[in-house]
Amino acid sequence: MTAPIPREIPDLPAVPRPPRLLPSPVPASAVLTPVRRPLAAGFRLLTALLALTGAALELTLGGPVLRSMSSFAVQSSIVLALVTLASARRAWSAGRPVSGAVTGAALLYALVAGLVHHSLLANAASPFALADADGTGRHTVAVHLMCTAAPAAAALDWLLLTGRGRLHLRQTATWLLYPLAYLGFSLARGELLLPGTEDRYLYPFLDVDQHGYRGVLGNALLLGLAVHALAVLLVALDHIRPDPLRRRW
């Protein structure tokens, strides 16, 4: 004999849901053990010294300081030195790395200064070659420190001592703001100086007296496209290169 079916079935208990994980306010640096990187700190200090020494030599050659400070190579060297000094300090103290947007910009400007010098100014086959680009004395040392040694050291630091995947395509447009501002500064400086003034335009491809504004803007457009292509190349390489931080330096 079977039991009678109850007229009212009691409510079944609700099935408990898995607990919802809330975002943790604790940063990852508080969970992971900070690691000091003395090798990276030392190499970045050396890179900063190369850039600063080149800029200092250029500023003490005896000419007007404002003229030397107007050079893209000097300005990019100072930017590179400041960024690498900050990176060296954080690597030594196991601090949080400097933003990839900042380090990428400093690397890009240093590479641009080096490529412009070697491909346009010091290249005898270039229509913009300077007669004294390969001169002698302190000027040559300063130029090679700013346009050869410092960019090469910065590139090695990025390839061998910096974690990959920190550069992003959206940053490339922001990186172009400084070269664009430098173009405006260079043209404004040339307009403020009297015609015939020595070094009125520091770079022959920006010489309005020789090429006119149409020619200068055309040169600037080509250079801007090349700089943007280099920035995109750096971002692409940053995402496919091996990650050196898997090892402890």
Side-chain angles (χ1 to χ4, degrees):
M1 185 174 180
T2 59
I5 300 176
R7 295 181 180 180
E8 296 182 358
I9 300 177
D11 295 334
L12 298 176
V15 178
R17 296 182 180 180
R20 184 179 179 182
L21 299 178
L22 299 176
S24 175
V26 181
S29 59
V31 178
L32 301 176
T33 304
V35 179
R36 293 178 66 249
R37 303 173 60 209
L39 177 60
F43 188 82
R44 289 168 185 170
L45 180 60
L46 174 62
T47 303
L49 289 176
L50 290 174
L52 281 178
T53 302
L57 284 175
E58 186 68 19
L59 292 173
T60 57
L61 287 176
V65 175
L66 290 179
R67 184 269 179 202
S68 299
M69 283 296 299
S70 300
S71 168
F72 185 88
V74 171
Q75 294 179 13
S76 62
S77 295
I78 294 175
V79 170
L80 178 64
L82 294 176
V83 173
T84 50
L85 282 175
S87 297
R89 180 180 178 276
R90 296 192 182 190
W92 179 263
S93 61
R96 187 177 181 180
V98 177
S99 169
V102 176
T103 56
L107 172 62
L108 175 65
Y109 303 151
L111 291 177
V112 168
L115 291 175
V116 166
H117 173 76
H118 289 289
S119 62
L120 296 180
L121 304 180
N123 183 8
S126 169
F128 306 114
L130 294 177
D132 60 345
D134 291 320
T136 59
R138 289 190 301 170
H139 176 67
T140 300
V141 175
V143 168
H144 282 294
L145 285 175
M146 294 186 297
C147 299
T148 305
L156 288 176
D157 174 29
W158 174 64
L159 288 172
L160 303 179
L161 300 173
T162 305
R164 75 171 191 175
R166 303 181 65 230
L167 306 183
H168 304 284
L169 195 60
R170 64 179 180 272
Q171 298 167 346
T172 57
T174 306
W175 294 342
L176 292 179
L177 293 179
Y178 169 56
L180 182 61
Y182 183 82
L183 171 63
F185 163 77
S186 179
L187 296 179
R189 176 181 179 273
E191 285 296 323
L192 292 175
L193 295 177
L194 296 176
T197 303
E198 185 181 2
D199 294 328
R200 184 183 180 192
Y201 296 98
L202 297 179
Y203 296 96
F205 46 82
L206 298 180
D207 193 334
V208 177
D209 294 335
Q210 183 177 358
H211 304 288
Y213 275 101
R214 184 175 180 178
V216 166
L217 293 179
N219 294 335
L221 177 61
L222 293 177
L223 281 173
L225 293 175
V227 172
H228 186 260
L230 178 59
V232 172
L233 178 61
L234 288 177
V235 173
L237 291 176
D238 189 51
H239 288 267
I240 63 175
R241 65 187 177 91
D243 190 351
L245 291 189
R246 292 181 179 178
R247 299 174 57 186
R248 293 192 174 184
W249 299 86

